[in-house]
DNA sequence: CATATTTATGTAAACCTTTTCATGCGCCTA
DNA sequence: TAGGCGCATGAAAAGGTTTACATAAATATG
């Protein structure tokens, strides 16, 4: 850990002022080529890299964005995070992750970092699985947005902040419509959970479409938890509730993991897929194409949202005040699990 | 974006000096309770949060660690990243991710960030799938380690830096031994790739154990790519190479995704699992327990490595000079895919 | 060739903290 | 009561940049 050289050292050795070094390092114009080369040579020789903390301090901000998410081990969020990271990095921004885990972590410490770091902005996706976190999210967002640009994802709070959403309700309609078109009447939803943003939930879309079709509803709610396990539990409950001839013949699952859990449990119980039960998942995880049967699913296009969020955040002047919001339409990916 | 208040504002309004405010905010002792309360009250009123860039500058470092990984959409790395993040956050460190993607991203820009940010340290896991990246990794690590503590994961470079490793070779031995114990003689390896760190690869362990057992080798290498797809391709190749009676009867797959790809392809071709083919995966991804059949796999305990890496990095004084290295033993997780 | 304009460089203030050192104060001990 | 001590506080330097402003040098203009 040799003590680093700073802008003064470089300026000295190159025989110029620190202003010139600064200009060279940040690629500003109006510096003579010969001067520039001299400075660069000295800098390279010493392995000089400008201290970004000082830079950030002087410029009152930092080419860095913060991403606030629920636990990222949910593939939906990790996909989103990866995309955000990729896009931001390509634009020269650094990205720092903050996970909201209920209870265990001091939210206040998180806010200290989030605000103290003088980030360029924040992308936040609240936890739509949990009603309690809603008011919490609201508070966080209120303070954050006073300090820097914020872009929300799937988190329509009562603010005028820009929010990008996957159209969950539309996804559910797509799934139900597809199953009904294949002749199914008893279609179950695995994972109905009340969220504060009720208009844009899978449950809302499911109910909406089922009623439109005049069909009876079968909802299997579960609490937030490991999706795979919840999926299999739903099936256990379902099988113990209905006799074989009353059983739903099709399922729309909260996400692909829930679908997998359900498939596993059904197959374990001797049901053949898709003959005895049709299934539609949600998220279009890579693995879903490699299941047996390959899973028909809803692609929510979360990557697009990730990209859009980064760009919206960075070109914030354009959108921030106007309360720009947008929701993007999902796509049905037909594979084998409905026998189509 | 109201202009933030700084330590002077708070000091003024509270009628104390900035030194006192600093002491209060950082929880130092020796400040009168009444003074402390006054300062805290003013700070809270203004929503004052110390500027961490200034703090970092003054202290010459930053409670932040950098994590350098290959593309994180590989579940192995995302699991590692999640664990590192969790552990670091719990210890009050912020974490910033840097993904090395071949070509597209400017390594130099990455180094600017990595070094310029004055991080507390760096955890780096090189790309063991790709031989080219080895020398690249070496260079990066050389420069990084001159600037800050570095802990390596699965990346034994010719340095004296601490390196934590999953014991890949031992994992392979475990798998082969298990399959052989179940009576299999023709055991294939899906994913033999030459890496510079040959002694600790799956291939090394596989060959080692196969020879010890006096068995013939079947290796299906593939280039880095989407694991699921590579898995299914390996099967296609395998099936077209051997007649049914010469075909391997068991498979050890590079990771669980490769295993899934293989399973899918085998089932598509009409093979029954595990009757016609036994499979062992690697990584113990959550989904592997929910496949049909549930996948027997090797747990590399990557989470433990993540935790250990963070702690090693932070208590660096203790270990850094001694070139501390350690490898942790994998575990065989027996489920259904071998018919055991 | 003198002047106006552009381009290259330097000076110094600003960004916001932490931390060393000095000072003042109240209290204890001899 | 003088000397010593511990605690609470303040003043000022240091940390490494950017950038507005000033100036000097080079070039263009008439």
């Amino acid at each position: 850990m040799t003590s680093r050289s700073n802008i003064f050292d470089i300026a000295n050795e190159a025989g110029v002022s620190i202003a010139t070094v600064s200009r060279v390092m940040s690629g500003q114009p109006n510096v003579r080529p010969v001067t520039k080369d001299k400075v660069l040579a000295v800098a390279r020789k010493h392995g000089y890299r400008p201290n970004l903390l000082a830079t950030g301090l002087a410029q009152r901000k930092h080419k860095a964005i913060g991403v606030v998410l629920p636990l990222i081990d949910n593939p939906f969020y990790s996909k989103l995070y990866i995309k955000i990271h990729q896009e931001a990095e390509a634009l020269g921004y650094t990205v720092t992750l903050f996970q909201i885990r209920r209870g265990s972590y001091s939210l206040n410490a998180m806010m200290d970092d989030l605000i103290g770091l003088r980030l360029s902005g924040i992308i936040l996706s609240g936890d739509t699985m949990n009603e309690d976190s809603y008011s919490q999210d609201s508070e966080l967002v209120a303070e954050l947005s006073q300090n820097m640009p914020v872009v929300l994802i799937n988190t329509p709070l009562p603010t005028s902040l820009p929010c990008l959403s996957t159209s969950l309700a539309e996804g559910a309609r797509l799934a139900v419509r597809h199953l009904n078109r294949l002749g199914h009447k008893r279609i179950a939803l695995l994972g109905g959970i009340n969220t504060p943003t009720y208009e844009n939930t899978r449950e809302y879309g499911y109910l909406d479409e089922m009623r439109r079709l005049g069909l009876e509803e079968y909802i299997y709610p579960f609490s937030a938890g490991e999706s795979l396990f919840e999926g299999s539990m739903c099936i256990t409950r379902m099988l113990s509730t209905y006799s074989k001839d009353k059983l739903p013949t099709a399922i729309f699952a909260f996400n692909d993991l829930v679908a997998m859990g359900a498939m596993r449990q059904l197959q374990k119980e001797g049901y053949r897929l898709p003959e005895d039960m049709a299934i539609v998942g949600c998220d279009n995880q890579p693995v879903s194409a490699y299941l047996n049967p390959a899973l028909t699913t809803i692609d929510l296009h979360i990557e697009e949202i990730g990209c859009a969020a980064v760009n919206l955040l960075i070109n914030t002047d354009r959108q921030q005040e106007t309360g720009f919001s947008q929701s993007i339409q999902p796509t049905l990916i037909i594979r084998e699990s409905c026998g189509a």
Side-chain angles (χ1 to χ4, degrees), chain A:
Chain A
M1 243 61 45
T2 107
S3 92
R4 316 235 67 247
S5 50
N6 62 23
I7 200 172
F8 288 95
D9 303 332
I10 305 302
N12 266 340
E13 185 160 336
V16 300
S17 76
I18 61 167
T20 299
V21 176
S22 173
R23 282 188 273 258
V24 170
M25 296 310 289
S26 59
Q28 286 179 44
N30 290 353
V31 45
R32 250 187 335 163
V34 49
T35 314
K36 183 169 171 177
D37 292 345
K38 197 168 42 179
V39 170
L40 283 178
V42 176
R44 204 159 11 237
K45 171 177 155 204
H46 289 281
Y48 168 66
R49 313 252 186 191
N51 183 328
L52 295 176
L53 299 179
T55 302
L57 185 56
Q59 293 180 147
R60 267 165 282 295
K61 78 156 140 174
H62 197 193
K63 272 203 141 193
I65 72 178
V67 179
V68 184
L69 297 178
L71 267 195
I72 205 188
D73 59 1
N74 177 327
F76 175 82
Y77 289 114
S78 66
K79 209 162 150 186
L80 173 61
Y81 178 64
I82 288 170
K83 203 60 194 182
I84 290 175
H85 185 270
Q86 233 170 265
E87 185 73 8
E89 199 173 58
L91 293 168
Y93 286 73
T94 255
V95 3
T96 313
L97 174 66
F98 298 84
Q99 294 188 253
I100 322 184
R101 40 175 182 312
R102 215 149 319 299
S104 76
Y105 177 58
S106 158
L107 276 185
N108 196 46
M110 186 175 96
M111 291 299 281
D112 281 347
D113 286 340
L114 241 17
I115 295 178
L117 249 15
R118 301 299 187 268
L119 304 166
S120 301
I122 286 182
I123 296 175
L124 180 145
S125 182
D127 187 346
T128 51
M129 293 283 284
N130 190 304
E131 189 137 9
D132 299 341
S133 56
Y134 184 73
S135 60
Q136 194 184 64
D137 290 347
S138 293
E139 281 180 43
L140 294 195
V141 168
E143 184 173 357
L144 288 177
S145 63
Q146 285 183 315
N147 286 281
M148 68 198 102
V150 173
V151 169
L152 268 12
I153 292 181
N154 272 2
T155 312
L157 294 170
T159 61
S160 63
L161 296 173
C163 178
L164 303 177
S165 303
T166 52
S167 185
L168 265 13
E170 188 54 27
R173 285 194 202 93
L174 240 39
V176 170
R177 220 172 293 147
H178 178 63
L179 290 167
N180 181 252
R181 217 180 295 123
L182 296 174
H184 294 280
K185 307 271 185 220
R186 298 198 297 279
I187 302 171
L189 171 68
L190 266 42
I193 292 169
N194 281 318
T195 69
T197 63
Y198 197 69
E199 279 70 27
N200 187 26
T201 57
R202 297 167 183 79
E203 183 173 348
Y204 183 86
Y206 166 84
L207 288 173
D208 186 42
E209 190 67 18
M210 290 297 276
R211 284 177 194 145
R212 215 179 55 77
L213 296 168
L215 301 176
E216 197 184 338
E217 304 139 12
Y218 300 78
I219 298 192
Y220 292 82
F222 52 78
S223 50
E226 212 231 313
S227 300
L228 288 157
F229 178 72
E230 299 293 341
S232 68
M233 287 310 290
C234 283
I235 295 301
T236 307
R237 265 152 60 208
M238 183 187 290
L239 296 183
S240 67
T241 311
Y242 293 101
S243 62
K244 191 122 189 175
D245 58 322
K246 296 288 195 186
L247 204 64
T249 61
I251 285 173
F252 172 51
F254 189 84
N255 61 34
D256 286 351
L257 293 179
V258 169
M260 283 185 69
M263 286 170 70
R264 160 81 179 167
Q265 191 64 26
L266 283 164
Q267 291 178 323
K268 223 167 165 179
E269 302 278 353
Y271 287 77
R272 290 163 311 149
L273 306 179
E275 295 80 355
D276 301 333
M277 183 75 75
I279 300 198
V280 178
C282 189
D283 276 1
N284 195 21
Q285 298 295 327
V287 296
S288 62
Y290 284 82
L291 299 176
N292 248 296
L295 185 63
T296 290
T297 190
I298 304 291
D299 191 331
L300 296 169
H301 302 296
I302 186 66
E303 296 98 331
E304 287 181 42
I305 298 234
C307 281
V310 172
N311 287 290
L312 194 52
L313 193 65
I314 289 174
N315 308 322
T316 191
D317 336 315
R318 189 155 51 89
Q319 312 283 14
Q320 190 76 6
E321 311 90 355
T322 81
F324 176 90
S325 285
Q326 185 179 336
S327 104
I328 113 153
Q329 291 310 304
T331 312
L332 174 69
I333 310 280
I334 299 180
R335 291 200 272 252
E336 305 163 355
S337 62
C338 302

